[in-house]
Amino acid sequence: MNDVLRLISMPFRAPLVLLLIGVSVYLGMHWTLTLPQLSERYSSPGHFILLVEYLHAVVVVVICTMPDLLLFRLSQLMAASRVVSLVVSLLLVTLAGLYLLHLNILANVLILAPAVLLARLDLVRIRVVPSSLTMVLVLNILVLGGLMAGRWLGSHG
């Protein structure tokens, strides 16, 4: 019974989780409204663009939820060989250049990433620290659920 009360009171103890859900609902509504223009501009079906946007959101959540583990693994990989270090550096510079060329993608990252980081910080503040994989799954469920709710609201509202 005590665990149920703790889960029910979670939005009041960690309000930045509600902010994360609100941001993901907003992004879902925004993607619904801009989908016809994007599919026209890139001459690809709207479902493909939405799949890429959802995948993009999942990658942002994973990177923002487990930065210490990912950076540790990446630095170990880069320390193993100069070739691997060169390839990883080239890949990171190329991806950063692509983001800078398409600033609307960068804007989505700049909106979603701080919301995920703040929600994670708020959960740490109230001492809710599950394993990294559990945190990634929970935050991905919240973000993807909010994106789908925003898409539904954008298409029916």
Side-chain angles (χ1 to χ4, degrees):
M1 183 67 170
N2 193 16
D3 291 336
V4 173
L5 290 175
R6 287 183 67 207
L7 284 175
I8 291 173
S9 69
M10 181 81 69
F12 300 111
R13 296 182 328 164
L16 293 177
V17 173
L18 291 176
L19 175 77
L20 174 64
I21 294 170
V23 164
S24 60
V25 167
Y26 168 77
L27 283 176
M29 290 174 64
H30 175 71
W31 291 346
T32 301
L33 296 175
T34 59
L35 185 63
Q37 298 149 354
L38 287 175
S39 61
E40 220 176 85
R41 186 167 135 192
Y42 294 116
S43 66
S44 63
H47 298 295
F48 177 72
I49 292 174
L50 281 177
L51 179 66
V52 169
E53 292 284 358
Y54 285 142
L55 182 65
H56 190 258
V58 168
V59 168
V60 168
V61 169
V62 168
I63 289 173
C64 290
T65 304
M66 303 188 317
D68 51 347
L69 183 62
L70 290 174
L71 289 177
F72 176 72
R73 298 280 186 208
L74 184 64
S75 64
Q76 274 187 334
L77 186 65
M78 289 177 72
S81 163
R82 286 185 182 170
V83 173
V84 172
S85 178
L86 179 65
V87 168
V88 168
S89 299
L90 185 63
L91 180 67
L92 290 175
V93 167
T94 304
L95 288 176
L98 288 174
Y99 270 162
L100 291 176
L101 287 174
H102 298 286
L103 290 179
N104 58 350
I105 295 174
L106 182 63
N108 291 337
V109 170
L110 291 177
I111 292 170
L112 187 60
V116 171
L117 289 172
L118 286 172
R120 185 172 175 253
L121 184 65
D122 210 18
L123 289 172
V124 169
R125 180 186 58 83
I126 63 170
R127 293 183 180 91
V128 176
V129 187
S131 68
S132 297
L133 185 61
T134 305
M135 184 69 85
V136 166
L137 289 174
V138 168
L139 289 180
N140 268 323
I141 288 170
L142 288 176
V143 168
L144 292 176
L147 288 171
M148 288 182 207
R151 270 198 36 78
W152 183 80
L153 286 172
S155 63
H156 289 89

